[in-house]
Amino acid sequence: MTVSFVYILGMAGTAAFAVSGALAASRKNMDIFGFVVLALMPAIGGGTVRDLVIGRTPVFWIDDNRYVAVAIIAALIVFFSSYKPGSRRRILIWMDAMGLALFAALGTEISLTHGTGPLVAVMLGVTTAVTGGMIRDIICNEIPLVLSSEIYATAAFAASVAYVVADKLGTPAQIALAIAVIAGFAVRALGIIYNWSLPSFGTKR
Amino acid sequence: MTVSFVYILGMAGTAAFAVSGALAASRKNMDIFGFVVLALMPAIGGGTVRDLVIGRTPVFWIDDNRYVAVAIIAALIVFFSSYKPGSRRRILIWMDAMGLALFAALGTEISLTHGTGPLVAVMLGVTTAVTGGMIRDIICNEIPLVLSSEIYATAAFAASVAYVVADKLGTPAQIALAIAVIAGFAVRALGIIYNWSLPSFGTKR
Amino acid sequence: MTVSFVYILGMAGTAAFAVSGALAASRKNMDIFGFVVLALMPAIGGGTVRDLVIGRTPVFWIDDNRYVAVAIIAALIVFFSSYKPGSRRRILIWMDAMGLALFAALGTEISLTHGTGPLVAVMLGVTTAVTGGMIRDIICNEIPLVLSSEIYATAAFAASVAYVVADKLGTPAQIALAIAVIAGFAVRALGIIYNWSLPSFGTKR
């Protein structure tokens, strides 16, 4: 039961990040295989790094090809859809926000289940969430969203910490996951809508 | 017998990608250790990612240092050779094409041998083929070849699918590998020569 | 005893690279979580790649969260400190040099202890040393230091070879480590101070 809820969240995050990658490909006028490659990077990149560092190999998408299939289908849907050029960046950012919140929560849950301490669990949650998008942006030669002044890593951090705290308080995993996803998405959404940001090094003085 | 044919193809791909990396280093006027680092990245990068995700550790070049040796020798040969500046990009692209076809075929074969399904095998073949060159281009701050409008990921995909189909039809591994390499190289060569490309998102409308 | 000396060197390298990453974040005017992310990349990135390729998973920082803690503390100290803008790049380069020498020596020692041959040990030493900083620079969209004309990979190579040679001559591990760190740092320092560089491809003719 918990497993299947986790599974659904994982698939939703995979699809959201795949759409963000495919939209990045569309902004670079790539061909259909470029769409697939760029959709797969954020969709499975972060979870791959997480599985590798905790030694959970073969990684999650090797034995269950539905992750790869979902990402490819999402890429094809974007390829055959039409978007006004101006709206693509906007949709990309919101899809990325959904993937970010989902993967931060899931990465933290998987890490704790695997027996790591809370500090490493938070770090792995953030890593799962930000790595894929970072690879996508680096390949596209764009400034990674994680580096932008808007709140980004902070949102992943909020989701991860929310999960760890909920878990310590004995909250069932499904509810803890829901709380974490909502917390992460809310923080990121506020960042996007109000162009909200934490004080940065430059604005301090 | 099959093993040794696979081994020779692997060494050929390693050398071809190492030359492409060293040529990229020469275009940046790097010193000799820069050549070695940039030759090693594409030469062993893709296979390293493949081995990591399927859990085949230590990765292929740890216990057999001939891969590293071949890449270093290729880097040194390029360093001590002379090229007309204009021709370097051209040779780089052709060497990259050879490595691409060889590594796509080999990556697919290794993946199937390791017991993955055909979808994941194709994905790992493409990953093995494109990752190394992508890292090389990102370090050099160039637009990755995989993002260019020319057919690139498509060629790796053609090689991988050719191998999977030949394998399903019961073709012996050596012949399947040869077919896959030729298919992948032919598609990429057409892309380079005729500046051939698939319809992209931008040209669709 | 040897273990604890190795441990202290590892922590020193972690802190030095974390400071270099945090300084890179300060040059991009990032917020506090950006500092933490960019400090962690070079601090644990190189060792993570080393552990992954030799199959030493879970990687070093999963079961001992002091590495992550040290990097985070270093990031916070930099965040709450003040620097004249002009001096930041300078401090970054010297911190990077310390991390480079420490990680090259340690990476080689860990690799030899793990049973690899000397060629692979040197390669893993260099990889441990240069990977983290390369990731930091790529994320920041700067030309990686390893690509600059100054001696960089060469210094890591000097440290690794010094360790292998000292080890073959039967030098105790602690002394071999000290020699390797000093050799690597000296070569890099000469490169920084005198803007020393090896003959490059472009200057050959």
Short mmCIF file of all heavy atoms in Angstrom, two decimals, chain C residues 107-161:
data_model
loop_
_atom_site.label_atom_id
_atom_site.label_comp_id
_atom_site.label_asym_id
_atom_site.label_seq_id
_atom_site.Cartn_x
_atom_site.Cartn_y
_atom_site.Cartn_z
N GLY C 107 43.48 9.90 -2.63
CA GLY C 107 42.83 9.06 -3.64
C GLY C 107 43.76 7.93 -4.09
O GLY C 107 43.33 6.79 -4.29
N THR C 108 45.04 8.27 -4.24
CA THR C 108 46.02 7.26 -4.66
C THR C 108 46.21 6.22 -3.57
O THR C 108 46.23 5.01 -3.84
CB THR C 108 47.37 7.94 -4.96
OG1 THR C 108 47.14 9.05 -5.82
CG2 THR C 108 48.33 6.97 -5.62
N GLU C 109 46.30 6.69 -2.32
CA GLU C 109 46.49 5.76 -1.20
C GLU C 109 45.30 4.81 -1.08
O GLU C 109 45.48 3.58 -0.97
CB GLU C 109 46.64 6.58 0.10
CG GLU C 109 47.12 5.79 1.31
CD GLU C 109 45.96 5.32 2.19
OE1 GLU C 109 44.81 5.79 2.01
OE2 GLU C 109 46.20 4.46 3.05
N ILE C 110 44.08 5.36 -1.13
CA ILE C 110 42.89 4.52 -1.01
C ILE C 110 42.82 3.51 -2.15
O ILE C 110 42.50 2.34 -1.96
CB ILE C 110 41.61 5.41 -1.00
CG1 ILE C 110 41.54 6.17 0.33
CG2 ILE C 110 40.36 4.57 -1.22
CD1 ILE C 110 40.50 7.27 0.36
N SER C 111 43.18 3.95 -3.35
CA SER C 111 43.13 3.08 -4.51
C SER C 111 44.12 1.92 -4.39
O SER C 111 43.78 0.76 -4.62
CB SER C 111 43.39 3.91 -5.77
OG SER C 111 43.36 3.11 -6.91
N LEU C 112 45.38 2.23 -3.99
CA LEU C 112 46.39 1.17 -3.81
C LEU C 112 45.96 0.22 -2.70
O LEU C 112 46.08 -1.00 -2.83
CB LEU C 112 47.76 1.77 -3.48
CG LEU C 112 48.54 2.39 -4.63
CD1 LEU C 112 49.86 2.95 -4.12
CD2 LEU C 112 48.81 1.36 -5.74
N THR C 113 45.45 0.77 -1.60
CA THR C 113 44.98 -0.07 -0.49
C THR C 113 43.87 -0.99 -0.94
O THR C 113 43.73 -2.12 -0.47
CB THR C 113 44.46 0.83 0.66
OG1 THR C 113 45.48 1.75 1.02
CG2 THR C 113 44.07 0.00 1.87
N HIS C 114 43.09 -0.50 -1.90
CA HIS C 114 41.97 -1.29 -2.42
C HIS C 114 42.43 -2.35 -3.41
O HIS C 114 41.65 -3.16 -3.91
CB HIS C 114 40.96 -0.36 -3.09
CG HIS C 114 39.57 -0.89 -3.14
ND1 HIS C 114 38.71 -0.82 -2.07
CD2 HIS C 114 38.88 -1.53 -4.12
CE1 HIS C 114 37.57 -1.39 -2.39
NE2 HIS C 114 37.64 -1.82 -3.63
N GLY C 115 43.74 -2.34 -3.75
CA GLY C 115 44.28 -3.41 -4.58
C GLY C 115 44.42 -3.12 -6.06
O GLY C 115 44.69 -4.03 -6.85
N THR C 116 44.30 -1.87 -6.48
CA THR C 116 44.48 -1.57 -7.90
C THR C 116 45.96 -1.51 -8.24
O THR C 116 46.81 -1.37 -7.35
CB THR C 116 43.85 -0.22 -8.28
OG1 THR C 116 44.61 0.83 -7.67
CG2 THR C 116 42.41 -0.13 -7.83
N GLY C 117 46.28 -1.57 -9.53
CA GLY C 117 47.65 -1.40 -9.97
C GLY C 117 48.05 0.06 -9.92
O GLY C 117 47.21 0.94 -9.73
N PRO C 118 49.36 0.36 -10.09
CA PRO C 118 49.83 1.75 -9.96
C PRO C 118 49.25 2.70 -11.01
O PRO C 118 48.95 3.84 -10.68
CB PRO C 118 51.35 1.63 -10.08
CG PRO C 118 51.63 0.26 -10.58
CD PRO C 118 50.46 -0.61 -10.24
N LEU C 119 49.08 2.24 -12.27
CA LEU C 119 48.54 3.14 -13.30
C LEU C 119 47.13 3.59 -12.95
O LEU C 119 46.79 4.79 -12.99
CB LEU C 119 48.55 2.45 -14.68
CG LEU C 119 48.02 3.30 -15.85
CD1 LEU C 119 48.90 4.51 -16.09
CD2 LEU C 119 47.92 2.46 -17.13
N VAL C 120 46.29 2.62 -12.55
CA VAL C 120 44.92 2.95 -12.18
C VAL C 120 44.91 3.78 -10.89
O VAL C 120 44.09 4.69 -10.73
CB VAL C 120 44.06 1.67 -12.04
CG1 VAL C 120 42.75 1.95 -11.33
CG2 VAL C 120 43.80 1.07 -13.42
N ALA C 121 45.85 3.50 -9.98
CA ALA C 121 45.91 4.27 -8.73
C ALA C 121 46.21 5.74 -9.02
O ALA C 121 45.59 6.64 -8.43
CB ALA C 121 46.97 3.69 -7.79
N VAL C 122 47.16 5.98 -9.92
CA VAL C 122 47.48 7.37 -10.29
C VAL C 122 46.26 8.02 -10.93
O VAL C 122 45.88 9.15 -10.60
CB VAL C 122 48.69 7.43 -11.25
CG1 VAL C 122 48.83 8.81 -11.86
CG2 VAL C 122 49.97 7.05 -10.50
N MET C 123 45.59 7.26 -11.80
CA MET C 123 44.43 7.83 -12.46
C MET C 123 43.32 8.16 -11.47
O MET C 123 42.67 9.20 -11.57
CB MET C 123 43.92 6.84 -13.49
CG MET C 123 43.23 7.59 -14.60
SD MET C 123 42.17 6.53 -15.51
CE MET C 123 40.70 7.56 -15.47
N LEU C 124 43.12 7.27 -10.50
CA LEU C 124 42.08 7.54 -9.51
C LEU C 124 42.47 8.68 -8.59
O LEU C 124 41.61 9.44 -8.14
CB LEU C 124 41.77 6.28 -8.71
CG LEU C 124 40.83 5.31 -9.43
CD1 LEU C 124 40.65 4.05 -8.62
CD2 LEU C 124 39.47 5.98 -9.65
N GLY C 125 43.75 8.81 -8.29
CA GLY C 125 44.21 9.95 -7.49
C GLY C 125 43.90 11.25 -8.21
O GLY C 125 43.34 12.19 -7.63
N VAL C 126 44.25 11.31 -9.49
CA VAL C 126 44.00 12.52 -10.27
C VAL C 126 42.49 12.77 -10.37
O VAL C 126 42.02 13.89 -10.21
CB VAL C 126 44.64 12.42 -11.68
CG1 VAL C 126 44.25 13.60 -12.54
CG2 VAL C 126 46.17 12.33 -11.55
N THR C 127 41.72 11.69 -10.60
CA THR C 127 40.27 11.82 -10.71
C THR C 127 39.66 12.38 -9.42
O THR C 127 38.84 13.31 -9.45
CB THR C 127 39.62 10.44 -11.01
OG1 THR C 127 40.16 9.96 -12.23
CG2 THR C 127 38.11 10.56 -11.12
N THR C 128 40.06 11.80 -8.27
CA THR C 128 39.55 12.29 -6.98
C THR C 128 39.83 13.78 -6.83
O THR C 128 38.99 14.54 -6.36
CB THR C 128 40.23 11.53 -5.82
OG1 THR C 128 40.12 10.13 -6.04
CG2 THR C 128 39.59 11.90 -4.49
N ALA C 129 41.03 14.18 -7.26
CA ALA C 129 41.45 15.56 -7.05
C ALA C 129 40.75 16.54 -7.98
O ALA C 129 40.38 17.64 -7.56
CB ALA C 129 42.97 15.66 -7.23
N VAL C 130 40.58 16.18 -9.25
CA VAL C 130 40.09 17.19 -10.20
C VAL C 130 38.58 17.18 -10.43
O VAL C 130 38.01 18.18 -10.88
CB VAL C 130 40.80 17.09 -11.59
CG1 VAL C 130 42.31 17.14 -11.42
CG2 VAL C 130 40.37 15.88 -12.37
N THR C 131 37.90 16.05 -10.11
CA THR C 131 36.48 15.96 -10.45
C THR C 131 35.62 16.98 -9.73
O THR C 131 34.78 17.65 -10.33
CB THR C 131 35.95 14.54 -10.16
OG1 THR C 131 36.75 13.60 -10.87
CG2 THR C 131 34.49 14.41 -10.57
N GLY C 132 35.82 17.09 -8.42
CA GLY C 132 34.98 18.00 -7.64
C GLY C 132 35.06 19.43 -8.13
O GLY C 132 34.03 20.09 -8.34
N GLY C 133 36.28 19.91 -8.33
CA GLY C 133 36.45 21.29 -8.78
C GLY C 133 35.90 21.50 -10.19
O GLY C 133 35.38 22.57 -10.51
N MET C 134 36.01 20.44 -11.01
CA MET C 134 35.48 20.53 -12.37
C MET C 134 33.96 20.70 -12.33
O MET C 134 33.40 21.55 -13.04
CB MET C 134 35.85 19.25 -13.11
CG MET C 134 36.00 19.39 -14.60
SD MET C 134 36.28 17.78 -15.36
CE MET C 134 38.00 17.51 -15.05
N ILE C 135 33.30 19.91 -11.48
CA ILE C 135 31.84 20.02 -11.35
C ILE C 135 31.47 21.43 -10.85
O ILE C 135 30.57 22.07 -11.39
CB ILE C 135 31.30 18.94 -10.37
CG1 ILE C 135 31.56 17.55 -10.92
CG2 ILE C 135 29.81 19.15 -10.12
CD1 ILE C 135 31.28 16.44 -9.93
N ARG C 136 32.19 21.91 -9.83
CA ARG C 136 31.94 23.27 -9.30
C ARG C 136 32.04 24.31 -10.41
O ARG C 136 31.14 25.16 -10.56
CB ARG C 136 32.99 23.58 -8.21
CG ARG C 136 32.95 25.01 -7.67
CD ARG C 136 34.26 25.35 -6.95
NE ARG C 136 35.37 25.35 -7.90
CZ ARG C 136 36.61 24.97 -7.64
NH1 ARG C 136 36.96 24.56 -6.45
NH2 ARG C 136 37.55 24.99 -8.58
N ASP C 137 33.09 24.24 -11.22
CA ASP C 137 33.29 25.25 -12.25
C ASP C 137 32.27 25.13 -13.38
O ASP C 137 31.82 26.14 -13.92
CB ASP C 137 34.72 25.16 -12.81
CG ASP C 137 35.76 25.48 -11.75
OD1 ASP C 137 35.41 26.11 -10.73
OD2 ASP C 137 36.93 25.10 -11.92
N ILE C 138 31.90 23.88 -13.72
CA ILE C 138 30.91 23.69 -14.79
C ILE C 138 29.56 24.25 -14.35
O ILE C 138 28.88 24.93 -15.12
CB ILE C 138 30.80 22.20 -15.18
CG1 ILE C 138 32.06 21.76 -15.93
CG2 ILE C 138 29.56 21.95 -16.02
CD1 ILE C 138 32.14 20.27 -16.19
N ILE C 139 29.16 23.98 -13.11
CA ILE C 139 27.88 24.50 -12.62
C ILE C 139 27.88 26.03 -12.66
O ILE C 139 26.89 26.66 -13.00
CB ILE C 139 27.59 24.02 -11.18
CG1 ILE C 139 27.38 22.50 -11.18
CG2 ILE C 139 26.35 24.70 -10.62
CD1 ILE C 139 27.23 21.94 -9.80
N CYS C 140 29.01 26.62 -12.31
CA CYS C 140 29.10 28.08 -12.28
C CYS C 140 29.34 28.66 -13.67
O CYS C 140 29.50 29.88 -13.82
CB CYS C 140 30.23 28.53 -11.37
SG CYS C 140 29.83 28.28 -9.65
N ASN C 141 29.39 27.79 -14.68
CA ASN C 141 29.60 28.25 -16.05
C ASN C 141 30.93 28.98 -16.21
O ASN C 141 31.05 29.91 -17.00
CB ASN C 141 28.44 29.14 -16.50
CG ASN C 141 27.98 28.78 -17.90
OD1 ASN C 141 28.53 27.87 -18.51
ND2 ASN C 141 26.99 29.49 -18.39
N GLU C 142 31.93 28.55 -15.43
CA GLU C 142 33.28 29.09 -15.59
C GLU C 142 34.13 28.05 -16.33
O GLU C 142 33.83 26.85 -16.29
CB GLU C 142 33.93 29.33 -14.21
CG GLU C 142 33.10 30.13 -13.25
CD GLU C 142 33.82 31.37 -12.78
OE1 GLU C 142 34.98 31.60 -13.18
OE2 GLU C 142 33.22 32.13 -12.01
N ILE C 143 35.20 28.51 -16.99
CA ILE C 143 36.14 27.56 -17.59
C ILE C 143 36.77 26.77 -16.44
O ILE C 143 37.33 27.37 -15.53
CB ILE C 143 37.26 28.29 -18.36
CG1 ILE C 143 36.66 29.26 -19.38
CG2 ILE C 143 38.19 27.29 -19.01
CD1 ILE C 143 36.07 28.62 -20.58
N PRO C 144 36.67 25.43 -16.43
CA PRO C 144 37.27 24.66 -15.32
C PRO C 144 38.76 24.97 -15.16
O PRO C 144 39.47 25.12 -16.16
CB PRO C 144 37.06 23.21 -15.75
CG PRO C 144 35.88 23.23 -16.65
CD PRO C 144 35.95 24.55 -17.36
N LEU C 145 39.22 25.10 -13.90
CA LEU C 145 40.63 25.36 -13.63
C LEU C 145 41.52 24.33 -14.33
O LEU C 145 42.62 24.64 -14.77
CB LEU C 145 40.91 25.31 -12.13
CG LEU C 145 40.52 26.56 -11.33
CD1 LEU C 145 40.70 26.33 -9.84
CD2 LEU C 145 41.38 27.76 -11.76
N VAL C 146 41.01 23.07 -14.44
CA VAL C 146 41.83 22.02 -15.05
C VAL C 146 42.13 22.33 -16.51
O VAL C 146 43.08 21.81 -17.08
CB VAL C 146 41.14 20.64 -14.91
CG1 VAL C 146 39.95 20.52 -15.84
CG2 VAL C 146 42.11 19.50 -15.16
N LEU C 147 41.32 23.17 -17.12
CA LEU C 147 41.52 23.53 -18.53
C LEU C 147 42.38 24.77 -18.70
O LEU C 147 42.77 25.09 -19.82
CB LEU C 147 40.18 23.81 -19.21
CG LEU C 147 39.28 22.67 -19.55
CD1 LEU C 147 38.35 23.07 -20.66
CD2 LEU C 147 40.07 21.45 -19.97
N SER C 148 42.62 25.49 -17.61
CA SER C 148 43.40 26.71 -17.74
C SER C 148 44.84 26.35 -18.10
O SER C 148 45.27 25.23 -17.91
CB SER C 148 43.38 27.48 -16.42
OG SER C 148 44.03 26.72 -15.43
N SER C 149 45.57 27.29 -18.64
CA SER C 149 46.92 26.97 -19.07
C SER C 149 47.87 26.76 -17.90
O SER C 149 48.90 26.13 -18.02
CB SER C 149 47.46 28.07 -19.99
OG SER C 149 47.41 29.31 -19.31
N GLU C 150 47.51 27.30 -16.71
CA GLU C 150 48.35 27.05 -15.55
C GLU C 150 48.43 25.55 -15.26
O GLU C 150 47.53 24.80 -15.58
CB GLU C 150 47.74 27.69 -14.29
CG GLU C 150 47.61 29.18 -14.33
CD GLU C 150 46.59 29.62 -13.30
OE1 GLU C 150 46.89 29.51 -12.11
OE2 GLU C 150 45.49 30.05 -13.69
N ILE C 151 49.50 25.14 -14.61
CA ILE C 151 49.66 23.74 -14.21
C ILE C 151 48.56 23.37 -13.23
O ILE C 151 48.40 24.01 -12.20
CB ILE C 151 51.04 23.56 -13.57
CG1 ILE C 151 52.09 23.64 -14.65
CG2 ILE C 151 51.10 22.27 -12.79
CD1 ILE C 151 53.38 22.95 -14.34
N TYR C 152 47.79 22.34 -13.53
CA TYR C 152 46.72 21.95 -12.62
C TYR C 152 46.66 20.42 -12.51
O TYR C 152 47.01 19.85 -11.48
CB TYR C 152 45.39 22.53 -13.06
CG TYR C 152 44.29 22.37 -12.05
CD1 TYR C 152 44.12 23.29 -11.03
CD2 TYR C 152 43.44 21.27 -12.10
CE1 TYR C 152 43.13 23.12 -10.09
CE2 TYR C 152 42.44 21.09 -11.15
CZ TYR C 152 42.28 22.03 -10.15
OH TYR C 152 41.31 21.85 -9.22
N ALA C 153 46.23 19.76 -13.61
CA ALA C 153 46.22 18.29 -13.59
C ALA C 153 47.63 17.78 -13.30
O ALA C 153 47.81 16.75 -12.65
CB ALA C 153 45.69 17.74 -14.91
N THR C 154 48.63 18.53 -13.78
CA THR C 154 50.02 18.17 -13.56
C THR C 154 50.35 18.06 -12.07
O THR C 154 51.09 17.17 -11.64
CB THR C 154 50.94 19.23 -14.19
OG1 THR C 154 50.44 19.53 -15.48
CG2 THR C 154 52.37 18.74 -14.27
N ALA C 155 49.82 18.98 -11.27
CA ALA C 155 50.08 18.97 -9.83
C ALA C 155 49.46 17.74 -9.19
O ALA C 155 50.08 17.08 -8.34
CB ALA C 155 49.53 20.24 -9.19
N ALA C 156 48.23 17.40 -9.60
CA ALA C 156 47.58 16.20 -9.08
C ALA C 156 48.39 14.97 -9.48
O ALA C 156 48.59 14.04 -8.68
CB ALA C 156 46.15 16.10 -9.60
N PHE C 157 48.86 14.98 -10.72
CA PHE C 157 49.67 13.86 -11.22
C PHE C 157 50.96 13.74 -10.41
O PHE C 157 51.36 12.63 -10.01
CB PHE C 157 49.98 14.12 -12.70
CG PHE C 157 50.68 13.00 -13.39
CD1 PHE C 157 49.99 11.87 -13.81
CD2 PHE C 157 52.04 13.07 -13.64
CE1 PHE C 157 50.64 10.83 -14.46
CE2 PHE C 157 52.70 12.03 -14.29
CZ PHE C 157 52.00 10.91 -14.70
N ALA C 158 51.60 14.86 -10.11
CA ALA C 158 52.84 14.85 -9.32
C ALA C 158 52.59 14.23 -7.95
O ALA C 158 53.38 13.40 -7.47
CB ALA C 158 53.39 16.27 -9.18
N ALA C 159 51.49 14.63 -7.30
CA ALA C 159 51.18 14.09 -5.98
C ALA C 159 50.95 12.58 -6.05
O ALA C 159 51.46 11.82 -5.21
CB ALA C 159 49.95 14.80 -5.41
N SER C 160 50.19 12.14 -7.05
CA SER C 160 49.87 10.72 -7.17
C SER C 160 51.11 9.89 -7.44
O SER C 160 51.33 8.84 -6.82
CB SER C 160 48.86 10.49 -8.29
OG SER C 160 47.60 10.99 -7.95
N VAL C 161 51.94 10.34 -8.39
CA VAL C 161 53.15 9.60 -8.72
C VAL C 161 54.09 9.58 -7.52
O VAL C 161 54.70 8.55 -7.20
CB VAL C 161 53.83 10.20 -9.96
CG1 VAL C 161 55.22 9.60 -10.15
CG2 VAL C 161 52.97 9.96 -11.19
#
